[in-house]
Amino acid sequence: MTRTILPRSSRFPILPWRKFSSLTGPRSAARAISTATRDPRTKMRTWELDEQHLSKIRVNPTRLIDELHYTCQWGTGQRWGKADSETGMSRLALSDADKLARDWFVDTTKSLGCKISVDAMGNTFAIRPGREDGPPTCAGSHLDTQPSGGRYDGILGILAGVEMLKVLSENRVETAFPVGVVNWTNEEGARFPISMVSSGVWAGEIPLDRAHGLKEVGGGSHTMKSELERIGYLGSLPASYEAMPLAAHFELHIEQGPILETEKQKIGIVKGVQAYRWYTVEVDGQEAHTGTTPFNSRADALLAAARMICTSHTAAADHGALASTGILTLSPGSVNTIPGKVTFSLDIRAPTDHILDKLEEHLKSDFDFIVSTESTHGLGLAVSWQTDSVSPAIHFHDDCISTVRASANAILGDDKLSREMVSGAGHDSVYASRRCPTSMIFVPSRNGISHNPKEYTSPEDCAIGADVLLQSVLRYDRLRFARKV
Amino acid sequence: MTRTILPRSSRFPILPWRKFSSLTGPRSAARAISTATRDPRTKMRTWELDEQHLSKIRVNPTRLIDELHYTCQWGTGQRWGKADSETGMSRLALSDADKLARDWFVDTTKSLGCKISVDAMGNTFAIRPGREDGPPTCAGSHLDTQPSGGRYDGILGILAGVEMLKVLSENRVETAFPVGVVNWTNEEGARFPISMVSSGVWAGEIPLDRAHGLKEVGGGSHTMKSELERIGYLGSLPASYEAMPLAAHFELHIEQGPILETEKQKIGIVKGVQAYRWYTVEVDGQEAHTGTTPFNSRADALLAAARMICTSHTAAADHGALASTGILTLSPGSVNTIPGKVTFSLDIRAPTDHILDKLEEHLKSDFDFIVSTESTHGLGLAVSWQTDSVSPAIHFHDDCISTVRASANAILGDDKLSREMVSGAGHDSVYASRRCPTSMIFVPSRNGISHNPKEYTSPEDCAIGADVLLQSVLRYDRLRFARKV
Ligand SMILES: [Zn+2]
Ligand SMILES: [Zn+2]
């Protein structure tokens, strides 16, 4: 379960490329690149690496975590512990703090030899050239946070991408094709109220005008466009997968759930994203006095709703799905008045759309049964459903999933330390997957907590995740090379 | 179930006292009063009435209901039907509308020969002298309403009392002791937030200063005392059962529940008031993402609360009690966040305190079980109880209950048309019962609805209730006379 993290000096007693520099790698791959074009300063070429060598390429764990906390100076949030790094984050998209974090991202990646492209949604692509032209294989995530968020959600994915660029740069690695890092704008939807809005525009799923016109929550007058302009990130590049195609998208992210921790595993190989549906369920009953109305004369909307909530859990468990209620309001809201009306949210999730179809059907029938059995005395109870959101299941690309799996096995040694998962939450990878092969890499979240200042992933687990991300990008580059040949 | 209401002229083809005037009534009772003191204008003396004669004394149903709707010109509320009388009432205590209704009460009862006493809480006693001095046997209720109330709650009790005075006056009935009508101030607690506060002060259970200092709800600066002064009802009489003792208190009231209607009965003989207890129950769980947190890693405060609400109903039914939840709040209140905290009100009621003791014990154990079985993964759920209000069961006086029963049987002919009940709601009779023999008379509420503009009791049912009230007061007067002798 635990991996001992050696200090940099002992983890890399001999830098791998010092050994590899005399190797030619797999012969067929090597043959495809003319020796005439080789840069003598290059120490390692991805297409020349065999499995044994590739599996030894690792990030610098101390540098990764130090840099992560360094960037958390911009938008530092609520303190929960005594150490410098024991605070949350409050870095809303396109705020001044976000601008400073973006500037750091641009400056750092430029200094590592990347070309920077900013699109009309502020999505920022740092691309490192490869031996050949073509769309980049990218690591991507987001630098914005919830108003009361943590230091890992989104941030870890970007920082691991930057660490990847550092490893490639300092070790003079040449990739067959460009590789890079993308910072997607306003993933959280916390300031401008559509989650993943900018990868959505890039994917052609959300109109640019609608995204530009989004007003900040809380009654402010700023829009996404005005704030992009203000902080200098309204780019000239169209926000589009056509203007900026990606060869593949890999996202390292904290799990935001307890499964890896509970199962004492280190890496989640993310095969896709759960389907989910959001409903508003309204139960109408009859207000009545709690003291003067016997049970058989009631139409208690809250009792019916309580039974529905209990039933939704039982039924979801039976279907291998999830059901949750996060909002419940009732009226009139008096201790001695039986509620006449209850409205509650229902969030159901499952790995496939088919399971959700079945569960929805099951619950509609159960809820009808509940209102018919509660209904007495002609007062009647009624239930109605409103569908607020339907998100189909997302299936990531087999090539990317295999690449992540191979990298996890290479890093962890033991395939019991990783598991295949579906993501329960949405990510920019959902939209990316519509336009390029995609997969994600999950690392453990302490107590499954996220969107909270106490969100935490250990430095060791961050480094393991960054290693898998680094190797996934390199393996995918090698795969592209092999296929091209 | 139905009683044919004859027009006044045919119901009273020969007014009873025209027949009774030559009777002496029960001989023992008659002997006790010196014939020398008899007023020749008196047509009837209660102590001379035998059962056969007493049972024929009735109110004027048309006058009763016409006068009731007449007084609803002060504080008319929301319209729900087309007829003039098809509106609710909004007559908050000590408002201008309440002052006008009080003035009508004073003027009308004065003109019927009553002496008016107003105490320091504005409680208004209209007392009609009897043959002998002594504390009055009173009908009492309240003229104030909920802000969105109806035309019957409280109002019917006062109007039936005034109709009683009219019957006594026009028929020149002499009672052995004084009889009267009390209008208690701010019974609803809707404007000044303690229900039954003025009968409470009268009974010595609520300090005068506390009641006087009550501020109107909604942030106004008026107090009960300043408003009593403003409308001219801050009386000089101390608000006290010692300064204004009552011999007995009878209250005609709408049931505010569906039992009489459901059972097709006309009169509830109210033996007492249910015990009730109010609690605030807090369930603490763990906020978590609905999509990333499997069931076995949740501490879902709302699911636990829903199970508690379901259990409270089942357990209460098993104990012959009631349980209701009228308020529920949760946090943080987001569709995709499992609630970390839920607070809900719990109102339990039963005919005896002992049943509530048992039910409370049962529920505490059940709720502990629910949090222990929901609790997984070390995240834990916790439940805590706060007791907000304890109201012990009230048992009315056997003499008054018997008097009401005898009157109901006399009016209805058939004892299947009445039932013994306990009141589920509080009334001024609760405090009255601490200081004098008391009982109540319930009449049907259509659909069990009250505290609502659509509150309705048919004119026929109002008249039956008023008949029972009238006869109860006369029977009790006769009983006092008989016992004195
Ligand atoms: Zn994220
Ligand atoms: Zn009332």
Side-chain angles (χ1 to χ4, degrees), chain A residues 255-259 261-262 274 278 286-295 297-298 300 302-303 305-307 309-310 312-314 316-317 321-330 332-339 345-347 349 377 379 423-426 447-452, chain B residues 255-259 261-262 274 278 286-295 297-298 300 302-303 305-307 309-310 312-314 316-317 321-330 332-339 345-347 349 377 379 423-426 447-452:
Chain A
E255 180 197 340
Q256 302 181 276
I259 298 171
E261 184 183 61
T262 307
Q274 283 184 327
W278 288 357
Q286 177 75 48
E287 287 178 27
H289 192 292
T290 59
T292 59
T293 315
F295 282 142
S297 295
R298 296 185 179 193
D300 185 334
L302 182 61
L303 176 60
R307 292 202 172 145
I309 290 167
C310 294
S312 72
H313 283 76
T314 317
L322 292 174
S324 316
T325 292
I327 296 176
L328 185 149
T329 57
L330 55 79
S334 160
V335 176
N336 60 349
T337 305
I338 295 156
S345 65
L346 181 64
D347 167 325
R349 304 192 182 229
H377 198 59
L379 295 175
S423 172
N447 295 329
I449 292 172
S450 76
H451 288 190
N452 187 294
Chain B
E255 180 197 339
Q256 302 181 278
I259 297 171
E261 184 183 60
T262 307
Q274 282 183 329
W278 288 358
Q286 177 74 47
E287 286 178 29
H289 193 292
T290 59
T292 59
T293 315
F295 282 142
S297 295
R298 295 185 178 193
D300 185 333
L302 182 60
L303 177 60
R307 292 203 171 144
I309 289 167
C310 294
S312 71
H313 283 76
T314 317
L322 293 173
S324 317
T325 292
I327 298 175
L328 185 148
T329 58
L330 55 78
S334 161
V335 177
N336 60 349
T337 305
I338 295 156
S345 65
L346 181 65
D347 166 326
R349 303 191 184 229
H377 199 59
L379 295 175
S423 171
N447 295 330
I449 292 173
S450 74
H451 287 192
N452 188 295

Side-chain angles (χ1 to χ4, degrees), chain B residues 151-412:
Chain B
R151 289 179 169 232
Y152 301 88
D153 180 347
I155 299 174
L156 174 61
I158 296 290
L159 268 287
V162 171
E163 173 62 24
M164 169 187 82
L165 295 173
K166 288 178 183 168
V167 172
L168 299 183
S169 172
E170 71 187 354
N171 296 315
R172 300 184 207 162
V173 176
E174 187 174 25
T175 54
F177 297 95
V179 298
V181 184
V182 195
N183 175 36
W184 301 102
T185 299
N186 192 57
E187 191 274 346
E188 295 289 1
R191 184 173 183 203
F192 301 100
I194 297 182
S195 299
M196 307 170 283
V197 63
S198 305
S199 51
V201 174
W202 175 86
E205 307 264 345
I206 298 173
L208 179 70
D209 286 353
R210 185 172 169 219
H212 269 178
L214 280 176
K215 283 214 170 68
E216 62 182 344
V217 298
S221 61
H222 299 303
T223 61
M224 277 206 88
K225 189 176 184 190
S226 74
E227 283 295 275
L228 281 165
E229 228 159 10
R230 183 183 70 82
I231 68 164
Y233 279 84
L234 182 62
S236 53
L237 180 71
S240 155
Y241 66 95
E242 289 165 323
M244 175 54 78
L246 300 183
H249 187 264
F250 290 93
E251 185 168 4
L252 168 65
H253 206 279
I254 58 172
E255 180 197 339
Q256 302 181 278
I259 297 171
L260 291 173
E261 184 183 60
T262 307
E263 303 296 332
K264 304 192 192 311
Q265 291 172 314
K266 290 299 174 185
I267 291 290
I269 300 156
V270 186
K271 297 184 70 177
V273 181
Q274 282 183 329
Y276 72 83
R277 298 181 194 169
W278 288 358
Y279 310 91
T280 300
V281 179
E282 182 179 314
V283 185
D284 288 287
Q286 177 74 47
E287 286 178 29
H289 193 292
T290 59
T292 59
T293 315
F295 282 142
N296 67 3
S297 295
R298 295 185 178 193
D300 185 333
L302 182 60
L303 177 60
R307 292 203 171 144
M308 290 171 189
I309 289 167
C310 294
T311 295
S312 71
H313 283 76
T314 317
D318 290 348
H319 283 80
L322 293 173
S324 317
T325 292
I327 298 175
L328 185 148
T329 58
L330 55 78
S331 71
S334 161
V335 177
N336 60 349
T337 305
I338 295 156
K341 181 172 165 176
V342 173
T343 301
F344 64 90
S345 65
L346 181 65
D347 166 326
I348 61 175
R349 303 191 184 229
T352 71
D353 302 318
H354 179 69
I355 294 175
L356 285 195
D357 289 341
K358 289 296 200 187
L359 178 58
E360 178 181 319
E361 192 184 322
H362 187 144
L363 291 180
K364 284 187 169 162
S365 152
D366 280 359
F367 288 11
D368 284 346
F369 179 75
I370 287 168
V371 298
S372 67
T373 51
E374 284 300 309
S375 177
T376 53
H377 199 59
L379 295 175
L381 276 164
V383 62
S384 63
W385 292 62
Q386 176 187 303
T387 302
D388 298 320
S389 196
V390 172
S391 180
I394 302 290
H395 303 286
F396 288 149
H397 198 285
D398 282 342
D399 286 344
C400 293
I401 298 167
S402 304
T403 301
V404 171
R405 187 186 298 110
S407 302
N409 287 342
I411 306 295
L412 298 170

Side-chain angles (χ1 to χ4, degrees), chain A residues 142 153-154 187 253:
Chain A
H142 58 98
D153 180 348
E187 191 274 344
H253 205 280

